[in-house]
Amino acid sequence: MKALKQNIILLTILLITISLTAQEVVKKDSIKQNLKFNYKQLIIPTVLISYGAIGIEKIDYLKDLNLEIREEVINDIDGRTTFDDFSQYAPAATVYALNNLGIQGKNNLKDRSVILGTSFLLVFTSVTALKRITNIERPDGTSYSFPSGHTATAFAGAEFLWQEYKDKSIWYGISGYAVATATGIFRIINNKHWLTDVAAGAGIGILSTKIAYWLNPYMKAKIFNSTEDAKTVSMIVPFYNGKEIGLGLLLNLK
């Protein structure tokens, strides 16, 4: 178990290192940044991931805590809802819905799609790696509990919604994080995850989106510098929802 915790801590450090490296690359290339870097932005996701990593050994405590959470939210703790299967995508989808309604966010369609694709790619790789490394048993007895992929996806989308619309109104961000939090709670209610899984998933989701924003100026200058004259912009985005692995296609027709 000691080696397990070391692997989790190493992956956390790796994610943070990627974000710091991205920031340094942006500075060296004198690229205008879309999101100013602040070390304080790493505190919340780091605390969440660390809490999840430290707490995975306390299974008996987590069983009691999960039971209390489920009893507080619903009377029938054996009930199951599919809310979390859909709500995990709601915050990210809201960004596109708002733009279609004429409420413009910070970035255009191409840029925000690249940012979201990068964020989901980071979520997919980190969550999948951690699930394989830890192989923690879920509350329902199945495998690969840590961390929660649904929660990571939801919080990545919530941070995406916040970054795109925080200059418009704080309520966009609050609503996105409320839905993401509800997604995590329902993962516990549905007996699919421990509280530590949900906490770590939230941290990974937030951190992944922050990294995606820090990387975006560099990607625009070095990777997508020839797309201004292109007719289409596309990106293949992997996803993992706790059971299935698949690919999604983002396509922007100019």
Side-chain angles (χ1 to χ4, degrees):
M1 188 62 72
K2 183 178 180 180
L4 173 62
K5 290 174 68 175
Q6 289 176 341
N7 283 327
I8 296 171
I9 293 171
L10 284 173
L11 185 57
T12 303
I13 293 172
L14 178 61
L15 282 170
I16 295 173
T17 302
I18 291 173
S19 68
L20 295 177
T21 302
Q23 176 67 12
E24 288 303 316
V25 170
V26 169
K27 285 182 178 179
K28 288 179 181 180
D29 286 286
S30 300
I31 301 168
K32 185 178 180 180
Q33 299 180 53
N34 290 333
L35 181 66
K36 292 183 178 180
F37 178 78
N38 187 333
Y39 287 94
K40 293 180 180 179
Q41 296 178 43
L42 298 176
I43 295 176
I44 293 177
T46 301
V47 169
L48 288 170
I49 298 171
S50 299
Y51 169 76
I54 294 170
I56 58 177
E57 290 181 343
K58 302 178 180 179
I59 297 300
D60 290 337
Y61 167 73
L62 291 175
K63 287 179 180 178
D64 293 337
L65 185 58
N66 273 25
L67 186 61
E68 290 178 10
I69 292 173
R70 295 169 70 197
E71 287 178 335
E72 285 292 329
V73 178
I74 55 175
N75 293 324
D76 180 12
I77 61 174
D78 293 323
R80 193 189 188 295
T81 175
T82 59
F83 170 83
D84 46 320
D85 290 332
F86 301 98
S87 63
Q88 61 176 320
Y89 303 113
T94 301
V95 173
Y96 291 89
L98 289 171
N99 275 272
N100 286 336
L101 291 173
I103 306 174
Q104 299 301 314
K106 181 182 296 183
N107 292 286
N108 58 33
L109 176 61
K110 180 184 69 177
D111 289 341
R112 66 174 177 267
S113 296
V114 170
I115 291 169
L116 182 61
T118 303
S119 174
F120 279 2
L121 178 61
L122 289 170
V123 167
F124 170 78
T125 53
S126 56
V127 167
T128 302
L130 277 172
K131 284 182 180 291
R132 299 296 175 180
I133 291 171
T134 59
N135 193 21
I136 300 297
E137 185 177 287
R138 296 176 186 265
D140 64 1
T142 56
S143 301
Y144 304 128
S145 182
F146 183 89
S148 169
H150 282 65
T151 308
T153 300
F155 274 87
E159 178 67 15
F160 177 56
L161 176 60
W162 163 248
Q163 293 298 339
E164 287 296 310
Y165 285 97
K166 64 182 180 180
D167 295 332
K168 298 285 186 179
S169 172
I170 191 175
W171 291 105
Y172 291 117
I174 291 175
S175 61
Y177 271 98
V179 172
T181 301
T183 300
I185 292 173
F186 273 96
R187 294 308 286 164
I188 297 174
I189 292 173
N190 287 330
N191 216 29
K192 289 297 182 180
H193 284 290
W194 309 105
L195 177 61
T196 46
D197 303 336
V198 170
I204 290 171
I206 295 170
L207 184 57
S208 295
T209 297
K210 288 185 181 297
I211 293 173
Y213 273 93
W214 294 330
L215 282 173
N216 188 54
Y218 176 76
M219 294 175 66
K220 285 172 64 176
K222 298 298 183 181
I223 301 176
F224 299 102
N225 57 350
S226 62
T227 58
E228 294 299 326
D229 298 325
K231 296 301 181 183
T232 63
V233 177
S234 60
M235 175 176 286
I236 296 176
V237 182
F239 69 85
Y240 178 74
N241 63 12
K243 292 183 179 180
E244 301 113 354
I245 296 176
L247 295 174
L249 177 64
L250 293 173
L251 183 63
N252 173 20
L253 298 175
K254 287 194 171 184

